[in-house]
Amino acid sequence: KQDMAGAMTLAFHKSFDLPVVARVGDSYKLSMFTKTTYYLDVEIYQISKNEDSPCGDYYDSFIDNKGNAYIVLSDGMGTGARARIDSAFVCDMLIKLLSAGTGEESAIEIVNASVMLKSSDESFATLELCKVDLYSGRVTIYKAGSADTYIKYGREYKHLSGSGLPVGVEDVPCYEKHSFTLSSKDMIIMTSDGAELNEAWLFREMAKTDIELKEFARNVAQTAKFHSGNKTNDDISVIAMRLCK
């Protein structure tokens, strides 16, 4: 595999990952892809409202064979086990649809319809889908009732407020779509409703050059919990992402 990847690199003057070999009947299928320009460093930290109950937020991620990274965060209605069932259902179904090649907007429509039909009881969950093209750095974010998202790109900062409606509320999903391009060391912070943050403080923290991402996600979540005191009535999730070469 290493020799084959090396030969392809010499032939096309592009770096290739090691090939994937699959047997199909009496033949073999060889799949090779050029190495992406970037990779995505991702860390998450969650805090349950009650220590003895599961977090009602759920997240998942995967990278497709076209070099797109997908990160999904969902916050179920309420807290605890019931909320986690709804948020896990939304994330799992969306990831399966995207993995099968369904487009993002079509996948969100299917998930919305499925949430409405899955239970006779009122059931809904927020949804945030972040798609990152690891070749170009192009980012597309879909927000359906989700909490705030914070972006650092170069020396600029952007704050995307919670918008749209959670999936399962209306027959037609109501969400907003945002697109922009990041480069190496740029960051995205996704949060759930329990994480209320001071924007100026967070942007100062994101501007630091020596960020250790795992500790950063933990500090942001703990800071949100500290400032909320006993007022918070929701779980807290913070997903910190950084584009790297």
Side-chain angles (χ1 to χ4, degrees):
K1 290 183 180 181
Q2 187 67 53
D3 290 343
M4 195 169 293
M8 293 290 285
T9 297
L10 288 173
F12 291 96
H13 304 289
K14 293 182 179 180
S15 296
F16 281 80
D17 285 322
L18 294 181
V20 176
V21 182
R23 186 164 185 170
V24 183
D26 295 329
S27 303
Y28 289 89
K29 178 182 178 181
L30 181 70
S31 300
M32 295 187 71
F33 301 94
T34 55
K35 289 184 178 179
T36 57
T37 308
Y38 304 100
Y39 68 90
L40 192 64
D41 192 6
V42 182
E43 294 290 347
I44 184 164
Y45 195 87
Q46 295 182 301
I47 302 174
S48 297
K49 176 189 175 184
N50 301 309
E51 293 183 359
D52 57 347
S53 64
C55 181
D57 306 334
Y58 196 85
Y59 71 97
D60 206 344
S61 63
F62 85 104
I63 299 176
D64 67 14
N65 59 13
K66 297 180 181 178
N68 295 306
Y70 294 89
I71 300 87
V72 184
L73 175 63
S74 178
D75 181 359
M77 181 177 63
T79 61
R82 171 59 191 273
R84 189 170 181 85
I85 289 172
D86 290 339
S87 59
F89 176 85
V90 167
C91 285
D92 288 345
M93 173 167 277
L94 185 61
I95 288 292
K96 288 177 180 177
L97 289 166
L98 295 172
S99 300
T102 307
E104 295 87 24
E105 297 186 9
S106 296
I108 293 172
E109 291 179 4
I110 295 171
V111 169
N112 183 75
S114 299
V115 172
M116 295 193 70
L117 294 172
K118 82 177 184 69
S119 174
S120 58
D121 298 328
E122 184 180 53
S123 177
F124 55 83
T126 68
L127 172 62
E128 181 160 6
L129 169 62
C130 177
K131 174 186 177 182
V132 183
D133 185 327
L134 298 178
Y135 287 102
S136 67
R138 187 68 176 170
V139 178
T140 305
I141 293 179
Y142 302 84
K143 296 177 69 67
S146 57
D148 295 345
T149 303
Y150 305 87
I151 301 113
K152 171 188 175 294
Y153 53 109
R155 296 183 179 181
E156 302 294 327
Y157 297 87
K158 180 180 291 189
H159 176 192
L160 305 181
S161 300
S163 54
L165 293 173
V167 291
V169 175
E170 299 285 351
D171 292 339
V172 177
C174 177
Y175 58 88
E176 288 194 0
K177 178 180 176 182
H178 306 269
S179 296
F180 47 91
T181 299
L182 301 184
S183 57
S184 185
K185 304 303 180 183
D186 289 343
M187 296 179 65
I188 301 173
I189 308 299
M190 293 165 59
T191 66
S192 65
D193 286 338
E196 295 184 10
L197 297 164
N198 180 285
E199 179 181 308
W201 170 82
L202 181 60
F203 286 156
R204 285 197 301 270
E205 293 298 304
M206 293 172 73
K208 295 179 179 179
T209 58
D210 57 347
I211 292 175
E212 199 285 310
L213 207 60
K214 186 174 184 178
E215 186 66 17
F216 178 79
R218 176 183 178 278
N219 288 342
V220 172
Q222 293 285 10
T223 299
K225 180 176 176 59
F226 175 79
H227 285 294
S228 68
N230 295 322
K231 296 183 295 181
T232 184
N233 59 353
D234 208 345
D235 305 298
I236 294 173
S237 291
V238 173
I239 299 180
M241 295 175 275
R242 180 169 52 198
L243 200 62
C244 303
K245 281 191 173 181

